[in-house]
Amino acid sequence: MRQNDTQNLALMSTLPGFAEVRSLRAHFTSFAFEPHAHAEYVLGTVQDGVQRYSHRFGESYLQPGGLFTINPDEIHSGAPALQSGYAYRVVYVPQQTVLEAFADVPGADHPRYFLRPEAHDPELARRFSYAMSLFDEDYPENRLEAESHFVACLRDFFTRHAVPDDAEHVGANVRLAARLKCFLYEHAAEGVSLDELAQEAGLSKYHVLRTFKAATGIAPHAFLNQCRVGLARQALEKGHSLTEAALAAGFSDQSHLSRRFKALVGMSPGQYRRQLSR
């Protein structure tokens, strides 16, 4: 898909007061994300327009009031459903941050799991949008109010729409895929062959391909590219140049990094690096 950058805007930043949480504010009219996943929970809302949203259950159309509720490592993608596009606001929240948010709740020491990748909760969507507007417009003047609203929204995302994840529902194929994902991440910079992945799993390469895709929704090479983009993003956040980030992540050159990075992050590596310096 040809992308018109004058009609696609994505702004990524660290959420003030929450150094471990990333925030994305975006408006897309032609850009489509490739299927991908994140190590963190993805929480957010569509603020304008309609997004066509693909996930493990099929496809949904999110309008204002629709919430993103995506678990770590859950494959998803998104694209505009209308020519006018859509605008949304998303935060990426590490699992440890969620556990800390529920530290005062007895018996809430299990990770939480969203049963569906989207939820209809207009009241929470309005509160979440308001909290994000405080960070955008009135922070740090209203720092306490912004941070308090965000924590309250975070807890309501999980108390209203998630359940404790005790791992009893996780089958053998999912556990195997989780182990292989760790292996791919650990060796992302140097690359992994299908034979090496099969040896790690103790299965034939044909069985590995079928099992991995059935459990995750994407092929191993697509997950490897995702890991490499994550490594490049970390390198950029540490102040490395685009060339250094590409090499550190195992990409053959900067142009290869740029193509993969934008398809998964929604902006080019150069745009991402410039936003970090603001």
Side-chain angles (χ1 to χ4, degrees):
M1 178 183 293
R2 179 173 294 178
Q3 297 160 13
N4 183 344
D5 285 337
T6 64
Q7 298 178 345
N8 298 298
L9 175 66
L11 300 173
M12 180 82 75
S13 63
T14 298
L15 193 67
F18 301 89
E20 73 282 7
V21 176
R22 290 182 296 132
S23 169
L24 173 64
R25 179 173 39 166
H27 178 263
F28 295 125
T29 58
S30 60
F31 177 76
F33 285 99
E34 292 184 356
H36 65 288
H38 302 275
E40 311 95 335
Y41 291 101
V42 183
L43 309 174
T45 185
V46 171
Q47 298 176 315
D48 186 55
V50 182
Q51 183 199 35
R52 189 176 74 250
Y53 176 41
S54 299
H55 46 74
R56 68 184 187 277
F57 293 110
E59 194 168 79
S60 299
Y61 290 84
L62 289 180
Q63 303 180 44
L67 296 177
F68 295 87
T69 51
I70 306 172
N71 298 301
D73 295 327
E74 197 163 79
I75 302 299
H76 60 285
S77 63
L82 305 172
Q83 288 187 346
S84 55
Y86 68 99
Y88 71 167
R89 189 62 185 268
V90 174
V91 290
Y92 304 88
V93 185
Q95 297 181 64
Q96 184 59 38
T97 301
V98 176
L99 290 174
E100 291 173 1
F102 286 89
D104 61 321
V105 180
D109 54 348
H110 284 294
R112 305 246 160 174
Y113 183 80
F114 291 108
L115 298 176
R116 295 284 306 182
E118 82 286 334
H120 183 69
D121 190 337
E123 187 271 341
L124 179 55
R126 285 193 297 270
R127 287 171 45 216
F128 177 78
S129 293
Y130 175 68
M132 294 299 101
S133 72
L134 291 177
F135 285 109
D136 295 339
E137 301 166 7
D138 298 320
Y139 197 91
E141 289 84 355
N142 292 321
R143 177 174 180 173
L144 181 59
E145 182 182 3
E147 294 176 4
S148 299
H149 276 295
F150 173 71
V151 170
C153 288
L154 179 63
R155 288 180 59 137
D156 282 348
F157 264 102
F158 288 90
T159 55
R160 295 183 183 185
H161 303 291
V163 297
D165 183 6
D166 58 10
E168 290 182 359
H169 65 280
V170 179
N173 286 351
V174 175
R175 286 192 291 270
L176 174 61
R179 192 172 93 235
L180 294 179
K181 285 191 288 186
C182 289
F183 182 80
L184 287 168
Y185 185 81
E186 290 170 359
H187 299 278
E190 66 223 50
V192 177
S193 71
L194 186 55
D195 284 332
E196 289 172 327
L197 201 61
Q199 183 177 0
E200 173 67 17
L203 300 170
S204 74
K205 54 188 176 184
Y206 309 103
H207 193 174
V208 162
L209 278 176
R210 289 196 305 272
T211 300
F212 192 94
K213 189 162 187 178
T216 66
I218 59 174
H221 72 271
F223 185 80
L224 181 66
N225 283 329
Q226 182 176 295
C227 294
R228 286 175 164 168
V229 168
L231 291 175
R233 182 172 59 79
Q234 292 173 16
L236 293 173
E237 290 170 356
K238 293 177 181 177
H240 293 292
S241 68
L242 299 183
T243 299
E244 291 170 335
L247 294 176
F251 288 104
S252 57
D253 53 43
Q254 187 176 321
S255 63
H256 191 193
L257 164 64
S258 295
R259 289 194 301 272
R260 295 298 183 186
F261 196 98
K262 186 162 187 176
L264 298 180
V265 180
M267 66 186 77
S268 71
Q271 291 171 321
Y272 187 80
R273 191 170 186 269
R274 288 192 293 273
Q275 290 184 21
L276 293 173
S277 62
R278 290 179 180 176

